[in-house]
Amino acid sequence: MRYVRATAEDQARIQDFLSQFVDDYLAEHIAAYFSSDSGGVYMALDEENQLLATGIVELARPQEVYVSGMRIRPDLQGGRLGQEFAEFQVQEGKRLGASVIRSLVGRGNEFSQRILQETLGFHVVDEWVVGSFEGFEAPAFAEGDAGPAWAVDQERLRAFVKQHEDDLWSGKDHWLPRRLTFEDVWQGVEVGAAAVAPQNIGDPVDTLALFRITDGDMHLNYLRSMGQHLKTLLQYLRVESRAWGVKTLHFGLPRHAADKFIEAADLPLAREWHGVVLEKHVGLTSSSVV
Ligand SMILES: CC(C)(COP(=O)(O)OP(=O)(O)OC[C@H]1O[C@@H](n2cnc3c(N)ncnc32)[C@H](O)[C@@H]1OP(=O)(O)O)[C@@H](O)C(=O)NCCC(=O)NCCS
């Protein structure tokens, strides 16, 4: 058996392979990984070039690798291939320069969690929720003290991010949790995709959100609220969604933020997926050499 990094030519074959896994988000989602500069989709092939398994190794940012999407051909499951493939994903992650490797496993997927935790030494760092709301419509006009974050907010935003430096967010992909940095927030400010409350720069930040609007949908990628201004900020997101004619809001958030958001939004969830974020520090530290 050998592991091969897939190219765009392999996409159809892999989509066909994935079609045998029921209710699997990956089939509609994997296309994005064929255009990665490094890492991406990998295949396990036997001597006859038969496709035995697939998996993803994504360089989320320098030194931060994300492994996911492991799919073992159903007739081969329970035969240790999953464990071997996960070991390959970790080695490939290290080859790509990782100092931390993260993975997302669906709630109740004990086999995957067992491979990552018991065999490869990952540990759970957070719970994760991916979901969508229908009917995220805007009020006629916005009330309250929330709005876009501006350049003048830099210092209080920096203080807020420092206070929550272990926070995870879902950059361009709700299924890919990564550590939030001040640079991520500043990029959001520069493109008008960061919302903050209260607006008065003399007040500390209470609530911060990073979002983007693509193809008529709003995507909430980061949310942290100290509780006072969450509803006000949601009101502002609704105004933004009205401005862009948004009907559906999607999110990928840590459980603590998702629970607060779902409660405050008070709307039916069209889709809800729960899982855990597992993490492993790799590199030349005595305690965690693989
Ligand atoms: C989950 C999955 C990747 C595991 O790979 P696998 O090759 O089947 O698993 P392995 O043979 O390496 O076994 C891993 C562990 O799970 C256990 N296991 C796996 N399948 C099992 C089964 N059907 N019954 C009982 N135990 C099972 C093994 O005993 C092993 O535990 P151990 O190390 O304590 O002995 C594979 O089953 C799969 O592709 N499932 C469908 C898609 C999916 O859920 N992917 C993961 C998304 S995060």
Side-chain angles (χ1 to χ4, degrees):
M1 184 181 66
R2 59 197 167 86
Y3 297 104
V4 177
R5 180 170 177 258
T7 64
E9 280 73 49
D10 302 306
Q11 186 168 345
R13 176 186 191 191
I14 290 173
Q15 299 271 190
D16 177 48
F17 177 82
L18 292 176
S19 64
Q20 63 191 313
F21 297 92
V22 285
D23 301 342
D24 193 335
Y25 76 90
L26 194 58
E28 71 182 74
H29 190 74
I30 198 162
Y33 292 98
F34 285 94
S35 53
S36 306
D37 303 337
S38 64
V41 183
Y42 293 78
M43 304 181 285
L45 303 174
D46 67 10
E47 292 66 35
E48 283 82 46
N49 232 18
Q50 294 298 307
L51 185 48
L52 310 178
T54 60
I56 291 168
V57 180
E58 178 78 356
L59 190 63
R61 61 157 52 92
Q63 300 200 25
E64 210 174 309
V65 160
Y66 177 73
V67 296
S68 72
M70 189 152 52
R71 300 292 180 272
I72 308 299
R73 207 173 69 193
D75 61 314
L76 299 172
Q77 290 177 10
R80 288 258 162 273
L81 185 47
Q83 188 171 315
E84 286 168 34
F85 205 126
E87 281 161 359
F88 162 76
Q89 286 176 307
V90 168
Q91 290 312 324
E92 182 65 1
K94 288 178 73 179
R95 194 183 65 76
L96 293 174
S99 62
V100 61
I101 300 181
R102 220 170 266 120
S103 189
L104 195 55
V105 172
R107 184 193 279 172
N109 193 330
E110 63 175 84
F111 300 150
S112 266
Q113 205 162 334
R114 198 187 299 178
I115 292 173
L116 292 170
Q117 273 188 281
E118 293 172 20
T119 315
L120 295 174
F122 281 70
H123 58 281
V124 174
V125 291
D126 215 330
E127 290 183 69
W128 195 258
V129 186
V130 176
S132 304
F133 288 110
E134 291 298 351
F136 189 82
E137 257 119 32
F141 49 82
E143 294 134 19
D145 186 18
W150 306 104
V152 285
D153 294 302
Q154 185 169 121
E155 285 325 306
R156 64 184 188 132
L157 287 171
R158 200 183 287 284
F160 188 79
V161 173
K162 185 132 188 47
Q163 210 183 329
H164 306 289
E165 57 195 5
D166 288 337
D167 273 4
L168 296 173
W169 75 307
S170 56
K172 63 177 182 357
D173 174 344
H174 293 313
W175 303 91
L176 203 163
R178 60 179 77 192
R179 188 83 49 211
L180 180 81
T181 64
F182 177 74
E183 289 65 36
D184 298 322
V185 173
W186 200 243
Q187 268 169 24
V189 171
E190 287 173 336
V191 296
V196 68
Q199 285 279 289
N200 175 6
I201 60 168
D203 294 338
V205 171
D206 171 83
T207 302
L208 175 64
L210 297 176
F211 64 96
R212 64 191 158 84
I213 295 171
T214 50
D215 315 330
D217 286 352
M218 178 181 275
H219 296 265
L220 185 64
N221 306 316
Y222 176 70
L223 179 69
R224 167 66 76 170
S225 179
M226 312 316 284
Q228 261 199 297
H229 289 271
L230 177 55
K231 288 231 169 191
T232 321
L233 189 126
L234 269 182
Q235 207 67 335
Y236 168 66
L237 291 180
R238 282 198 167 94
V239 170
E240 275 287 317
S241 72
R242 180 158 177 267
W244 296 87
V246 165
K247 282 277 176 292
T248 308
L249 185 143
H250 307 273
F251 62 88
L253 295 170
R255 173 80 183 274
H256 68 81
D259 288 352
K260 280 188 183 161
F261 181 54
I262 292 165
E263 191 200 338
D266 189 22
L267 281 170
L269 276 164
R271 180 175 63 142
E272 190 177 1
W273 180 95
H274 287 255
V276 291
V277 182
L278 296 114
E279 197 171 271
K280 179 181 179 67
H281 290 269
V282 294
L284 303 174
T285 56
S286 57
S287 62
S288 67
V289 172
V290 177

